[in-house]
Amino acid sequence: SLKHVVAGEDRNRMIKYSPEHMHCFAQIYAPLCAPNTGYVCFQTLKNEQAGFRVAATGVITDIDCGQAKVVKKLKLVGEPKKIFKNTCFVKGMFSSALEVARFEGASVRTVSGIRGQIKKSIKGEHGVFRATFEDKVMASDIVFLRTWVQVHPQRFYNAVTNALGTFDGAGSKNEGWRKMKTVSELRRDRGQFPPVEKDSLYKPIERQGELFKTLKI
């Protein structure tokens, strides 16, 4: 998992791709190595690969045994259940009172821009909590919470002692070590496309503007 430290932030934020013309940190599950040891990353080791290139180069800074926390953005969504003057019961965001207790005091926001705060969970109703807002929430509003969730690297590695030696079952003597195919390589060989979930597709958002009453003092 790649992590990138931005100036002014006290967290290691996960990024999808390595930044262009910049350095970043990577958390890798691998055999123990001494710090200041250099390493090279390759996408493939095939001899007939036309676009062969070095994917990344770097140096091992330290061995933290997974103590460094890498986080990514998470947006939790809920909807109003009961609406009062400046208070609202929100459902669908959490599944238990324990999760609500974890986020007590966190800031929430509605789609219409009304800010609020999580107060306490409602007894007897799993995941429903009470929140206070700056203004009265509409029944058509959606309440969302922006937070961070920890990302763990996959705890698996396959040590290669000799990448140039032959192996049993090779097609020819010149064929060296052959790694396990990835899912994308298997799909490419079989002519298959990755599965598409309808819920993950982008759709045009059509939302009517809310009309609020004028403020009277």
Side-chain angles (χ1 to χ4, degrees):
S1 59
L2 292 174
K3 59 182 180 178
H4 185 48
V5 182
V6 183
E9 290 190 3
D10 56 348
R11 60 176 66 92
N12 297 324
R13 182 162 53 87
M14 178 184 171
I15 53 177
K16 254 187 177 180
Y17 309 101
S18 57
E20 192 175 7
H21 309 303
M22 288 180 64
H23 290 84
C24 69
F25 294 97
Q27 196 176 45
I28 304 172
Y29 189 77
L32 292 176
C33 298
N36 297 327
T37 302
Y39 67 90
V40 185
C41 299
F42 300 98
Q43 287 187 334
T44 178
L45 293 173
K46 291 182 180 179
N47 296 328
E48 64 273 9
Q49 187 74 18
F52 177 81
R53 67 183 182 89
V54 177
T57 59
V59 63
I60 297 173
T61 55
D62 60 344
I63 303 170
D64 57 5
C65 299
Q67 298 298 323
K69 292 178 65 177
V70 182
V71 293
K72 68 175 182 179
K73 287 183 178 179
L74 178 67
K75 184 183 285 187
L76 302 175
V77 181
E79 55 186 13
K81 184 178 182 181
K82 288 183 181 180
I83 301 173
F84 302 98
K85 190 174 182 181
N86 284 350
T87 308
C88 175
F89 292 174
V90 183
K91 66 177 182 178
M93 186 177 293
F94 303 109
S95 59
S96 65
L98 189 63
E99 293 182 0
V100 178
R102 171 68 178 81
F103 289 96
E104 279 185 6
S107 299
V108 292
R109 195 183 183 94
T110 63
V111 175
S112 55
I114 304 173
R115 295 175 296 182
Q117 189 179 32
I118 297 176
K119 291 301 181 182
K120 273 202 171 184
S121 62
I122 307 301
K123 290 185 179 180
E125 300 187 30
H126 298 288
V128 181
F129 63 90
R130 181 175 62 88
T132 57
F133 293 91
E134 295 176 339
D135 198 359
K136 189 173 183 179
V137 179
M138 307 292 289
S140 59
D141 265 336
I142 298 174
V143 184
F144 59 89
L145 166 68
R146 289 176 177 172
T147 182
W148 301 87
V149 63
Q150 188 175 358
V151 181
H152 300 280
Q154 189 174 1
R155 293 182 172 272
F156 174 78
Y157 71 86
N158 185 14
V160 180
T161 56
N162 185 10
L164 303 176
T166 58
F167 66 99
D168 296 335
S172 62
K173 293 183 179 179
N174 297 328
E175 186 177 1
W177 174 79
R178 187 166 57 186
K179 68 181 182 66
M180 184 184 298
K181 288 186 177 181
T182 61
V183 178
S184 61
E185 290 175 349
L186 290 173
R187 285 177 180 154
R188 198 181 302 113
D189 295 342
R190 299 177 182 178
Q192 298 177 352
F193 294 95
V196 178
E197 296 183 5
K198 293 183 179 179
D199 296 338
S200 301
L201 297 176
Y202 288 99
K203 301 174 185 177
I205 300 175
E206 297 179 0
R207 197 175 286 126
Q208 296 180 356
E210 300 290 346
L211 298 176
F212 298 98
K213 294 180 181 179
T214 57
L215 181 62
K216 295 181 181 180
I217 302 176

